[in-house]
Amino acid sequence: MTPISSLGEFALIDRLTAALPKQNDTTLVGVGDDCAVVCYGGKPVLLTTDMLLEGIHFDLVYTPLKHLGYKAAVVNFSDIYASGGTPRQLLVSIGLDHRISVESLDELYSGLRLACKNYGVDLIGGDTTSSLTGLSLSLTAIGEAPEGGAILRSGAKDTDLVCVSGNLGAAYLGLQLLEREKKVFNNTNLNDETAAQPDFSGYDYLLERFLKPEARQDIIVTLAQAGLRPTAMIDISDGLSSELLHLCKASHCGCRIYEERLPIDYQTARCAEEFNLNVSTCALNGGEDYELLFTLPLAEHERIAEIADVRIIGHITRPELGALLVTRGEAEEVALKAQGWQACAN
Amino acid sequence: MTPISSLGEFALIDRLTAALPKQNDTTLVGVGDDCAVVCYGGKPVLLTTDMLLEGIHFDLVYTPLKHLGYKAAVVNFSDIYASGGTPRQLLVSIGLDHRISVESLDELYSGLRLACKNYGVDLIGGDTTSSLTGLSLSLTAIGEAPEGGAILRSGAKDTDLVCVSGNLGAAYLGLQLLEREKKVFNNTNLNDETAAQPDFSGYDYLLERFLKPEARQDIIVTLAQAGLRPTAMIDISDGLSSELLHLCKASHCGCRIYEERLPIDYQTARCAEEFNLNVSTCALNGGEDYELLFTLPLAEHERIAEIADVRIIGHITRPELGALLVTRGEAEEVALKAQGWQACAN
């Protein structure tokens, strides 16, 4: 028998969904993008789903349930924005084990409700069941496609500019801080009143990026207002490198991005140094950034430069040139690797 | 802290989803029916989702993975049919633990694919991840609404006839047979070559009803062809009593159903006797039948009588009369109780 880990998530999905025949005219886009797209009554509808399992995607030791609810919703909304769309509805399924009280569930739902309120989304249904095996969440978001249809991963063209919103690596370092404090806590004598309290001072932004990420609705609105339609787009959940490779594969192209152009916050840089981590590696592979990665025609260079909180980090190339990172300093070219979050590593 | 079990699934859902404000015109029907209904481009779209967790919804000891995949898809399609619609697309999320090999997953997917093929549905996406905590499935089906919009639970009127498709209690007895053989197997010395093999002879139909249920697409087609549009409809997943109570609550009505009218297969009756179970209790509360329960105006009596595999089991009454079962023999009236599957009993 072949272990799942020998294939990895994406090879596995390729295997399982190979040659699925399309049976309905209402199916526009199937497996392989941020969203599936269906079309009833002439209007495309975006669909995306995410499963979040205790011990894999979250640790209840340091994840408040309200934050978990908020984040679970937002990461689904992020997939809708990554197709250029607007999330409108949400389905939420929850598997509850005996540790979860009604009050805890109220907390989880208060986070879900807040996310729905902030992003203008209706919670329209789901499923609630017992679980023998920890807290399980599965969310499906439904969204409206932009004018001109969903923006896919597959539209990038040679010479297009590669752009990224916000900054990268912050959530990953937020997670490292929480994991460190968890270890300290586990080694603490609970009767020792002088024991150290968690010290996160100066790193609030990193914790917030991990525990309460936001989806980049603002970027979608700004791009639309500027009349800029990305040729391809994806959100950064598994790490920039991994997402760039998806985009290049789907678009049949290569890319060259520049290490010195990677957007990194001051707290991220300082915290990486404290952990003795290479900050570029954190930015490339950290994951859970929920920023948008997109491509635009080279001719739009000046207009992109005017958009706040978006940075051009490189450009698209012909496929035979590969997906490359031009390093700082000696300016070597190294191949990008997907070293980020591995959903099927266990 | 209040344990979830003190509330039960439906009180819990009421609590969590109370007063959710609607923010989008595209939201037609939210929490509380078999499907949610959204409307983009003037055409209603049905959405339903189900979470299936190992140890709660299935036992891999006696559930072949191909059957599990088939059933997981079909129970979602059943919710679409229960709104009078036609399933068109399916999203599938899977949490895999280390016991699941690539070959096992191929089996699971072969069942999903077969269900999609048989019901004309496109598998358009999902999520695949590791799990530390057993096999987890979460499926979302998308469907086309019937002419005139989704059939809801809430449209039943006083004097309407209460109808049910197929027969009831068979899946529940199939489960009892499998549980009995699991106990025998657990007590068997594996070195004893004379040990009894599982004996299911004469009960194939019961096992099939449990392991490989079908959704009643045929009934939806037949009703549409006959020009009969149910005033209210629901599928029977948690047991007839429980679903009747949902329908009556949503429709603000009562009902009177007749024990002698409950449709029961010969194998179900014989097996119930063998297990020393009351067969009517199995039919009322067994669950997992995936038959359709619906109401039609009294005036349609003759036309309903002509439809194969549909039986009239009673009628709708004014709400103050309650939801009653008229028993066989002495013809007592007893209040229906939801004693079926409790999703949040643990």
Side-chain angles (χ1 to χ4, degrees), chain A:
Chain A
M1 297 302 245
T2 318
I4 299 283
S5 53
S6 69
L7 280 184
E9 181 183 9
F10 301 108
L12 187 69
I13 293 171
D14 286 348
R15 177 188 175 113
L16 296 174
T17 59
L20 279 178
K22 184 178 128 168
Q23 302 179 81
N24 293 291
D25 292 340
T26 48
T27 303
L28 294 188
V29 177
V31 174
D33 219 291
D34 289 70
C35 291
V37 189
V38 300
C39 188
Y40 290 80
K43 201 147 163 75
V45 181
L46 307 173
L47 294 153
T48 182
T49 191
D50 261 309
M51 181 175 260
L52 297 144
L53 302 176
E54 186 173 348
I56 301 285
H57 301 94
F58 56 89
D59 185 333
L60 290 180
V61 169
Y62 51 69
T63 310
L65 283 163
K66 184 172 180 180
H67 287 70
L68 178 62
Y70 193 89
K71 182 170 174 173
V74 164
V75 303
N76 276 280
F77 302 161
S78 182
D79 278 322
I80 301 278
Y81 292 122
S83 300
T86 310
R88 297 293 189 199
Q89 286 90 17
L90 186 67
L91 298 165
V92 178
S93 293
I94 306 190
L96 298 160
D97 74 8
H98 63 278
R99 295 166 312 160
I100 309 285
S101 65
V102 172
E103 290 77 9
S104 313
L105 196 57
D106 283 342
E107 278 295 297
L108 184 73
Y109 258 78
S110 71
L112 286 165
R113 282 167 184 261
L114 181 62
C116 284
K117 181 163 169 268
N118 288 354
Y119 289 87
V121 171
D122 293 329
L123 205 170
I124 58 166
D127 192 15
T128 309
T129 183
S130 313
S131 163
L132 292 178
T133 53
L135 183 61
S136 308
L137 296 172
S138 179
L139 285 79
T140 301
I142 300 107
E144 199 174 319
E147 290 290 323
I151 299 171
L152 305 181
R153 299 175 177 181
S154 52
K157 298 271 179 298
D158 187 20
T159 78
D160 277 359
L161 297 169
V162 176
C163 308
V164 68
S165 67
N167 62 72
L168 303 175
Y172 178 74
L173 285 158
L175 172 60
Q176 303 316 307
L177 285 165
L178 290 165
E179 286 284 345
R180 183 174 71 183
E181 294 305 321
K182 180 182 170 185
K183 279 192 195 120
V184 171
F185 177 78
N186 286 342
N187 293 328
T188 299
N189 178 345
L190 289 178
N191 294 319
D192 176 4
E193 290 182 9
T194 66
Q197 288 296 302
D199 181 12
F200 298 128
S201 59
Y203 290 139
D204 305 12
Y205 176 69
L206 304 183
L207 295 182
E208 191 175 328
R209 285 299 299 264
F210 179 74
L211 290 173
K212 189 169 174 285
E214 300 290 350
R216 297 309 304 260
Q217 178 180 28
D218 58 328
I219 300 291
I220 298 301
V221 171
T222 306
L223 289 173
Q225 283 169 350
L228 289 169
R229 182 183 160 97
T231 49
M233 187 151 54
I234 188 170
D235 76 327
I236 304 176
S237 51
D238 298 344
L240 176 65
S241 290
S242 171
E243 313 302 356
L244 262 173
L245 291 170
H246 286 312
L247 190 147
C248 286
K249 186 180 172 194
S251 295
H252 306 290
C253 64
C255 70
R256 184 182 281 131
I257 65 160
Y258 296 86
E259 185 182 6
E260 65 184 14
R261 299 291 304 156
L262 295 176
I264 291 164
D265 185 80
Y266 170 72
Q267 286 190 18
T268 307
R270 192 160 59 85
C271 187
E273 202 176 307
E274 187 178 326
F275 276 93
N276 205 19
L277 292 168
N278 180 318
V279 72
S280 295
T281 306
C282 297
L284 287 164
N285 299 314
E288 299 224 60
D289 299 303
Y290 302 108
E291 297 293 347
L292 294 170
L293 170 68
F294 53 95
T295 54
L296 278 164
L298 182 58
E300 306 290 3
H301 188 279
E302 284 181 26
R303 295 170 68 201
I304 303 165
E306 284 167 14
I307 294 180
D309 215 22
V310 165
R311 188 180 289 188
I312 299 168
I313 61 167
H315 57 270
I316 296 295
T317 62
R318 296 194 309 278
E320 61 271 24
L321 298 179
L324 301 173
L325 174 75
V326 181
T327 61
R328 209 189 299 265
E330 297 97 56
E332 279 183 284
E333 289 186 342
V334 297
L336 285 170
K337 282 183 194 156
Q339 294 172 309
W341 166 252
Q342 299 278 324
C344 291
N346 289 82

